[in-house]
Amino acid sequence: MSLKITDDCINCDVCEPECPNGAISQGEEIYVIDPNLCTECVGHYDEPQCQQVCPVDCIPLDETHVESKDELMEKYRKLTGKA
């Protein structure tokens, strides 16, 4: 499942550089996560790094983009070219 950034975001800029897939970018008002690039850090880390550094805890799971760990791993493989 992808992650999302809620309206509680304070634009502190700490999440964007932590994303190994480049899924986080500055939106019109707050940071946003591209669900096509978000793997919840599967393949890179044990936990989503953006959630670890967020000072306001505004990065929950995105219920509209449900994916299993296997699907996230497959997405990671496609994004990185690793078999």
Side-chain angles (χ1 to χ4, degrees):
M1 182 173 317
S2 174
L3 300 171
K4 67 179 180 180
I5 297 176
T6 67
D7 291 340
D8 293 332
C9 176
I10 59 171
N11 289 311
C12 66
D13 303 320
V14 297
C15 61
E16 183 181 23
E18 295 300 319
C19 181
N21 296 323
I24 301 174
S25 62
Q26 179 64 50
E28 287 187 30
E29 294 182 27
I30 61 173
Y31 279 87
V32 295
I33 296 177
D34 182 340
N36 297 314
L37 298 176
C38 179
T39 63
E40 293 180 48
C41 290
V42 168
H44 295 284
Y45 302 103
D46 293 333
E47 304 176 43
Q49 298 301 289
C50 59
Q51 287 180 330
Q52 298 302 307
V53 298
C54 181
V56 292
D57 194 26
C58 68
I59 309 176
L61 292 172
D62 184 350
E63 300 292 332
T64 63
H65 294 96
V66 178
E67 296 170 288
S68 68
K69 291 291 182 187
D70 288 339
E71 290 170 318
L72 291 169
M73 182 56 82
E74 183 59 28
K75 188 191 301 186
Y76 160 78
R77 289 183 180 121
K78 288 179 181 176
L79 290 171
T80 63
K82 296 182 179 179

